[in-house]
């Protein structure tokens, strides 16, 4: 290939994230999938207020680029961290974490991952609702 590939937005369908790995309504738009020598995937993930991932890990580093609203990422056993548009979170391989919208706010991020086989993610239990309600409050600006 010696030219730029353009994939029109109209050709990309938004899909609902799998309910077994997420709480609430979460939408995904696949921007880039691994091809040939590249293992990089990029997905726009939009979380409605209160929506979030389950606890999970990745074999490879995950980079989250916040694009809209207010969200958070929490590593198990550590305080949650707020994410706002323009913030970038890097999650090391093997770190148990979750991410999503804070209560009452829409949130979106682009997730970049290098895919290492079909089981790149290890999905765990949902974030407990009581825990979420305790930590997922947007701080005052």
């Amino acid at each position: 290939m010696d030219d730029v590939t353009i994939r029109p937005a109209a050709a990309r369908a938004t899909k609902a994230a799998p309910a077994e790995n997420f709480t609430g309504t979460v939408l995904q738009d696949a921007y880039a999938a691994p091809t040939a020598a590249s293992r990089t995937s990029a997905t726009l993930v939009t979380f409605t207020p209160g929506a979030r991932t389950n606890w999970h890990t990745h074999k490879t580093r995950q980079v989250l680029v916040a694009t809209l609203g207010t969200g958070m990422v929490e590593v198990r056993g550590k305080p949650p961290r707020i994410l706002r548009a323009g913030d970038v979170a890097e999650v090391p391989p093997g770190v148990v974490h979750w991410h999503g919208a804070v209560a009452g706010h829409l949130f979106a991020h682009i997730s970049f991952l290098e895919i290492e086989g079909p089981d790149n993610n290890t999905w765990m239990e949902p974030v407990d609702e009581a825990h979420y309600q305790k930590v997922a409050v947007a701080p005052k600006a």
Side-chain angles (χ1 to χ4, degrees):
M1 180 173 141
D2 62 352
D3 199 0
V4 173
T5 299
I6 303 291
R7 288 186 298 282
R12 184 179 60 249
T14 299
K15 67 176 189 169
E20 64 269 18
N21 300 328
F22 295 84
T23 297
T25 301
V26 179
L27 303 174
Q28 297 175 321
D29 286 275
Y31 283 178
T35 58
S38 173
R39 299 181 305 146
T40 304
S41 74
T43 305
L44 172 64
V45 184
T46 305
F47 299 86
T48 58
R52 58 203 179 262
T53 68
N54 285 6
W55 291 100
H56 63 286
T57 64
H58 304 281
K59 284 184 183 178
T60 57
R61 175 181 73 146
Q62 181 180 38
V63 176
L64 304 173
V65 179
T67 60
L68 175 75
T70 305
M72 64 183 0
V73 59
E74 181 180 11
V75 170
R76 188 168 278 170
K78 297 190 176 193
R81 310 280 296 276
I82 294 293
L83 297 172
R84 292 190 174 92
D87 292 344
V88 177
E90 292 188 38
V91 182
V95 170
V96 178
H97 69 288
W98 70 271
H99 37 99
V102 298
H105 291 264
L106 188 68
F107 177 63
H109 65 55
I110 300 172
S111 170
F112 294 92
L113 275 172
E114 286 195 25
I115 303 300
E116 197 171 279
D119 57 346
N120 196 69
N121 302 344
T122 300
W123 290 101
M124 300 168 187
E125 75 278 5
V127 175
D128 177 73
E129 188 65 30
H131 175 76
Y132 175 80
Q133 291 300 327
K134 180 179 166 187
V135 302
V137 178
K140 304 291 183 224

